Amino acid sequence: MSYQGSTKSRIAKGLAAGPMLAWRAALCLLLSACAASAAFAQREPVHYFHSSQLPPGTIGPSQLLRGGPLAGYLQPLEIRGPEGLEVSVAIQGQFEPPQKTPALFGMFIGPVYRLKLTRIPRNEGQEVFPTIEVINRLYPPPGLENHFPIPVHFTQEELTMALSGRLVTRVIYLEDPQSALPVRDSLDQQRYYEVRSDEDPLKTADRLGRPMAIMRMGSRTPEYDSQHQRFLFDCPPLQPLAAPAPLPGLRDGLEEILPPVPRIERGRSRP
């Protein structure tokens, strides 16, 4: 079977992590206009080799050709959705028993993973089979990799659109710290920006930060025949991960609040 209906493309912020600071990010969009000189009144066009319209499994492997610490790295990824949603991933030719969301997995960069979502709220008995393609990795503090996974949220709206025959493409990207807005985000919601039909969500995410993963979800269902393994993308290796223990509470702000320093008002003499 094939995807039918119209498409809906979205980009969503993921999780940013650094040596000293990590934050949960969703989507913020900041549009700014910069003055340009007369000699450079128009920016040079950027040639993009990749497009979100490429078949799943095209972008990730080409990322590995660039080198760097990508090949063989198991990138933690967290699946979230409406309350009650369950997810299972295809392993060794079949879907594993479903587990409740949020669910944590370690996925390699490059392959395509086929998921099955069940117990969809207000749509009991129906299923969707999205794909996830991890195309980059995060660099959290050593030993804390599972604390900072790439978040992939499935909203009720997106699930309903997929069940109605529409194709949903979501690109999760790592925000650019130079343009990010200082907005507190929630673990239960991932803010997103819906691009126009004539825009490529992958290109938009690239302008706003660093694309990390691509989720595609439509109405396609598996056909259990000789093509079955093709539907499951040959079931790449996967590592289920347990939820990590909570980190120690962090203080609010980046600096400690110190008591006020005593001051001597002018015009008074010391006792």
Side-chain angles (χ1 to χ4, degrees), residues 1-80:
M1 298 180 64
S2 61
Y3 291 102
Q4 299 177 356
S6 59
T7 62
K8 184 69 69 174
S9 300
R10 293 174 170 177
I11 56 174
K13 280 189 182 176
L15 171 70
M20 299 299 294
L21 177 65
W23 66 89
R24 175 76 60 170
L27 174 69
C28 304
L29 177 64
L30 178 63
L31 298 178
S32 61
C34 301
S37 63
F40 300 94
Q42 193 172 15
R43 296 184 61 183
E44 289 292 331
V46 178
H47 173 71
Y48 285 94
F49 177 76
H50 294 143
S51 168
S52 62
Q53 301 300 321
L54 292 172
T58 304
I59 301 175
S62 64
Q63 288 285 88
L64 299 178
L65 296 177
R66 303 173 60 182
L70 300 180
Y73 180 76
L74 275 171
Q75 169 62 54
L77 187 141
E78 186 178 51
I79 305 297
R80 287 182 171 267

Side-chain angles (χ1 to χ4, degrees), residues 203-214:
K203 296 179 182 179
T204 304
D206 185 66
R207 291 196 300 267
L208 297 175
R210 181 157 56 97
M212 305 298 299
I214 304 175

Side-chain angles (χ1 to χ4, degrees), residues 18-19 139-145:
Y139 296 87
L144 299 179
E145 291 80 4

Side-chain angles (χ1 to χ4, degrees), residues 73-75 89-92 105-109 111-113 232-240:
Y73 180 76
L74 275 171
Q75 169 62 54
V89 185
I91 301 178
Q92 297 181 354
F105 303 97
M107 296 184 177
F108 285 107
I109 299 169
V112 178
Y113 292 86
L232 300 181
F233 294 94
D234 295 322
C235 300
L238 177 84
Q239 181 179 355

Side-chain angles (χ1 to χ4, degrees), residues 152-173:
V152 178
H153 289 232
F154 292 92
T155 68
Q156 183 68 48
E157 178 191 8
E158 291 172 339
L159 293 167
T160 302
M161 287 191 298
L163 289 171
S164 66
R166 304 179 70 179
L167 173 63
V168 178
T169 301
R170 177 183 281 244
V171 179
I172 299 90
Y173 71 93

Side-chain angles (χ1 to χ4, degrees), residues 261-271:
V261 179
R263 300 180 61 183
I264 300 176
E265 297 182 8
R266 292 186 178 181
R268 289 187 179 182
S269 59
R270 294 184 180 181

